[in-house]
């Protein structure tokens, strides 16, 4: 396998993701997270409307801006004297009351961008709005945590492919939706023979591909073995895509899998038209899935070791549009859920609707401060090296 034709064949297989769903570099699974702590990221793709998520029911300006889209005070699940949950988030009310939720208002970044792709890139890479980076913040977590160490850990994305957030400069996560299928796809005799043959590969590029294949096969075997250890007994909602993802995450966490970070997503939040029905359906899916997930973790004594972060790439405009929806905005709310939160409840004040940024909620807390806190205080990582700068932490975990 040292000729150019075979090298190109192997390269094309790897780059085309033929070897397995979401194929990218995979690392062996070893624990490096601080005291075995887990971070679960839930991405709301499309730009969730934070104002109709955490509703400022005591602000007349909210109802003036949203004469038909605003949620009436009698329907809001009041959390304090000013803000409350969208009623679709009712399954999370008990978590809030028990001190398992931290709600952060007005999260964003300087010079915000209303483009889905650009803003999501900024959140994924933790770059400035004037910077263009090719690696993600969790990918660089892999890079820096594994620098000089003998046992690299891993990040797992529950999807068919990897998002930019989990792609590093030297290491990347592995994507999986079904551990059995992933394992089956990596047990093809031809792939196994190539992996064994690669141990003697002389060409450096070919050696890299063989090493990647070997690590992927080993990771697939590990995930498959761990997934067989524990099966959830919690009743997760059927037909709920996020619930399927979180059930797999819970089964791996509860089995003792040595994964540090799990990345999941729920799409569909680009609500330009008929927002009320769309957003309520998605928030209901989210709340039902997360409530079952937290119950699963609690039952298995894992909630104290887990933090769940939910974010979206931007919020929506304060004013509703003519189509019963809202357009792309700027700052937004962010949720943290866990059993050991240092500041449960609202971390900061509600958005000031009298001080808008060109019709949008103004950012108050740079999202990279939250990343820095989770990296340093929760995962025990070098936040400044990973984020390539200093961002003052928050009292969160």
């Amino acid at each position: 396998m040292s000729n150019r034709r075979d090298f190109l064949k192997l390269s094309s297989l790897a780059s085309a993701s033929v070897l397995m769903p979401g194929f990218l570099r995979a690392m062996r699974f070893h624990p490096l997270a601080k005291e075995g702590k887990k971070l679960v990221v839930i991405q709301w793709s499309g730009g969730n409307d934070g104002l109709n998520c955490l509703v400022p029911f005591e602000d007349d300006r909210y109802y003036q801006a949203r004469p038909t889209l605003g949620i009436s005070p009698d329907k809001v699940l009041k959390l304090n004297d000013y803000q409350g949950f969208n009623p679709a988030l009712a399954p999370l009310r008990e978590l809030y009351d028990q001190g398992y939720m931290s709600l952060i208002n007005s999260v964003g970044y300087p010079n915000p961008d209303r483009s889905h792709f650009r803003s999501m890139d900024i959140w994924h890479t933790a770059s400035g709005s004037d910077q263009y980076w090719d690696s993600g913040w969790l990918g660089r977590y892999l890079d820096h945590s594994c620098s000089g160490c003998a046992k690299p850990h891993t990040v797992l994305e529950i999807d068919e492919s990897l998002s930019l957030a989990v792609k590093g400069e030297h290491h990347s996560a592995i994507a999986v939706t079904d551990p059995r299928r992933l394992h089956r796809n990596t047990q093809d005799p031809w792939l196994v023979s190539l992996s064994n043959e690669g141990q003697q590969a002389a060409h450096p590029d070919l050696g890299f591909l063989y090493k990647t294949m070997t690590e992927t096969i080993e990771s697939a075997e590990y995930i498959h073995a761990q997934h067989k250890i524990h099966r959830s007994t919690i009743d997760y909602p059927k037909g709920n895509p996020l619930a399927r993802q979180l059930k797999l995450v819970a089964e791996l966490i509860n089995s003792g899998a040595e994964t540090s970070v799990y990345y999941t997503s729920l799409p569909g939040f680009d609500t330009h038209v008929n927002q009320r029905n769309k957003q309520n359906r998605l928030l209901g899916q989210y709340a039902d899935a997360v409530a079952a997930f937290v119950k699963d973790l609690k039952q298995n004594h894992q909630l104290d070791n887990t933090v769940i972060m939910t974010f979206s790439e931007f919020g929506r405009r304060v004013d509703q549009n003519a189509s019963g929806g809202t357009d792309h905005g700027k700052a937004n709310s962010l949720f943290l859920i866990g059993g050991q939160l240092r500041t449960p409840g609202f971390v900061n004040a509600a958005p000031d609707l009298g001080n808008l940024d060109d019709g949008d909620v103004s950012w108050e807390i740079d999202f990279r401060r939250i990343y820095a806190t989770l990296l340093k205080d929760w995962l025990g990582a070098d936040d400044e090296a990973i984020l390539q700068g200093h961002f003052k932490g928050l009292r969160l975990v």
Side-chain angles (χ1 to χ4, degrees), residues 21-62:
F23 173 80
L24 273 167
R25 292 192 64 190
M27 302 308 300
R28 302 183 184 193
F29 285 65
H30 297 282
L32 279 188
K34 183 180 179 182
E35 300 175 1
K37 288 181 167 55
K38 314 296 182 183
L39 172 64
V40 180
V41 179
I42 302 176
Q43 174 181 303
W44 280 340
S45 301
N48 176 54
D49 179 20
L51 287 179
N52 269 26
C53 195
L54 297 178
V55 183
F57 62 88
E58 275 296 314
D59 196 326
D60 290 338
R61 292 167 297 194
Y62 164 75

Side-chain angles (χ1 to χ4, degrees), residues 50-347:
L51 287 179
N52 269 26
C53 195
L54 297 178
V55 183
F57 62 88
E58 275 296 314
D59 196 326
D60 290 338
R61 292 167 297 194
Y62 164 75
Y63 294 102
Q64 292 167 6
R66 301 181 172 201
T68 62
L69 193 57
I71 300 174
S72 61
D74 61 305
K75 294 183 179 179
V76 175
L77 304 178
K78 298 178 177 61
L79 302 177
N80 59 21
D81 293 336
Y82 193 83
Q83 284 181 284
F85 277 148
N86 182 309
L89 294 173
L92 300 185
R93 179 59 190 263
E94 184 178 356
L95 301 184
Y96 179 87
D97 291 341
Q98 292 175 336
Y100 294 147
M101 295 190 72
S102 292
L103 308 177
I104 311 176
N105 289 302
S106 307
V107 179
Y109 54 88
N111 303 310
D113 196 303
R114 292 197 186 104
S115 162
H116 287 297
F117 303 105
R118 179 61 189 139
S119 192
M120 189 61 83
D121 278 354
I122 292 169
W123 275 84
H124 278 179
T125 63
S127 72
S129 58
D130 60 344
Q131 298 172 309
Y132 293 82
W133 293 354
D134 295 325
S135 62
W137 70 290
L138 292 172
R140 294 195 303 276
Y141 166 61
L142 282 173
D143 290 340
H144 286 273
S145 295
C146 288
S147 177
C149 67
K151 296 182 177 180
H153 64 281
T154 200
V155 174
L156 193 63
E157 180 155 7
I158 313 302
D159 204 342
E160 293 287 350
S161 59
L162 294 180
S163 62
L164 178 57
V166 299
K167 297 178 184 178
E169 296 174 357
H170 307 290
H171 305 304
S172 292
I174 187 170
V176 59
T177 56
D178 182 344
R180 290 170 295 184
R181 180 159 62 97
L182 176 64
H183 181 254
R184 185 170 61 249
N185 288 347
T186 60
Q187 293 307 300
D188 182 280
W190 181 70
L191 295 181
V192 174
S193 67
L194 286 181
S195 175
N196 294 332
E197 184 178 350
Q199 297 177 12
Q200 287 81 40
H203 192 289
D205 291 331
L206 191 59
F208 164 78
L209 290 172
Y210 279 125
K211 180 177 181 291
T212 299
M213 184 184 299
T214 300
E215 290 172 341
T216 301
I217 292 172
E218 291 175 348
S219 293
E221 291 175 347
Y222 178 84
I223 296 168
H224 183 248
Q226 288 296 128
H227 187 242
K228 291 190 294 184
I229 293 174
H230 178 88
R231 286 291 186 269
S232 176
T233 60
I234 297 299
D235 185 19
Y236 281 79
K238 302 295 188 297
N240 183 321
L242 182 61
R244 287 195 298 270
Q245 296 176 58
L246 293 180
K247 182 180 180 181
L248 174 56
V249 172
E251 289 176 339
L252 290 171
I253 290 176
N254 293 332
S255 76
E258 297 168 344
T259 307
S260 302
V261 181
Y262 296 87
Y263 203 94
T264 68
S265 61
L266 180 64
F269 284 91
D270 195 17
T271 52
H272 293 279
V273 180
N274 189 26
Q275 174 177 301
R276 186 184 296 275
N277 292 335
K278 291 180 180 178
Q279 188 189 32
N280 287 355
R281 173 178 57 81
L282 291 168
L283 292 181
Q285 289 181 358
Y286 167 80
D288 288 340
V290 169
F293 181 55
V294 170
K295 183 178 180 181
D296 206 343
L297 295 178
K298 285 184 67 178
Q299 179 175 285
N300 291 277
H301 311 291
Q302 292 296 328
L303 185 59
D304 283 356
N305 297 323
T306 306
V307 168
I308 307 159
M309 181 187 80
T310 304
F311 80 98
S312 197
E313 68 264 36
F314 48 59
R316 315 295 293 189
R317 305 281 282 175
V318 174
D319 288 343
Q320 69 177 64
N321 61 29
S323 301
T326 51
D327 299 322
H328 300 177
K330 295 177 183 176
N332 204 356
S333 54
L334 184 147
F335 292 0
L336 293 180
I337 299 173
Q340 293 292 321
L341 301 176
R342 298 179 66 191
T343 309
F346 284 93
V347 173

